[in-house]
Amino acid sequence: VQLQASGGGLVQAGDSLRLSCVASGLTTSNYAMAWIRQAPGKEREFVSGISWSGSATFYARFVEDRFTISRDDTKNTAYLQMNGLKPEDTAVYYCAVGEALDYGLNYDYWGQGTQVTVSS
């Protein structure tokens, strides 16, 4: 199983980015998918998750309606649309998949991460 995250970059505060996570070696329609981030010197934290059916989505409180998670199982891909980025959103963003949607870090497979840097 491989998860390839992409779409990160260096942006200014208030800008937008769209992260993508392409999975191979599994059928994503059978799994919940999530985004987790890790800022420098901090522990990994849950950002957002979407159930296997797409009917349920979770967001961390700090997202404050700025991010939207979605999935396209025809492409084995999950997305995270991030608007209104803030410097505190700077982190490596990881995608993960698991059998159940979890509000923490309990996922079975993890990608390598994509760097998001937001300048003030």
Side-chain angles (χ1 to χ4, degrees):
V1 175
Q2 289 190 331
L3 302 176
Q4 182 71 43
S6 62
L10 172 62
V11 297
Q12 293 185 334
D15 285 350
S16 298
L17 282 173
R18 187 192 195 203
L19 306 184
S20 299
C21 173
V22 181
S24 58
L26 55 76
T27 303
T28 56
S29 59
N30 295 330
Y31 293 88
M33 303 184 77
W35 291 94
I36 288 97
R37 73 184 187 184
Q38 187 168 22
K42 296 186 177 181
E43 296 183 349
R44 290 189 180 186
E45 60 181 353
F46 175 87
V47 176
S48 181
I50 186 168
S51 63
W52 64 270
S53 66
S55 62
T57 56
F58 287 171
Y59 295 94
R61 289 184 179 180
F62 59 76
V63 168
E64 299 174 332
D65 296 326
R66 298 179 295 128
F67 300 175
T68 303
I69 191 170
S70 60
R71 61 190 299 156
D72 183 348
D73 292 322
T74 66
K75 299 180 180 179
N76 260 19
T77 301
Y79 304 96
L80 186 67
Q81 177 68 43
M82 304 188 294
N83 300 326
L85 284 163
K86 303 176 181 180
E88 51 264 44
D89 294 318
T90 294
V92 176
Y93 283 72
Y94 299 89
C95 62
V97 298
E99 293 186 0
L101 181 55
D102 186 79
Y103 200 69
L105 305 181
N106 188 24
Y107 290 91
D108 301 308
Y109 304 103
W110 292 72
Q112 88 291 355
T114 184
Q115 176 71 47
V116 173
T117 303
V118 185
S119 63
S120 59

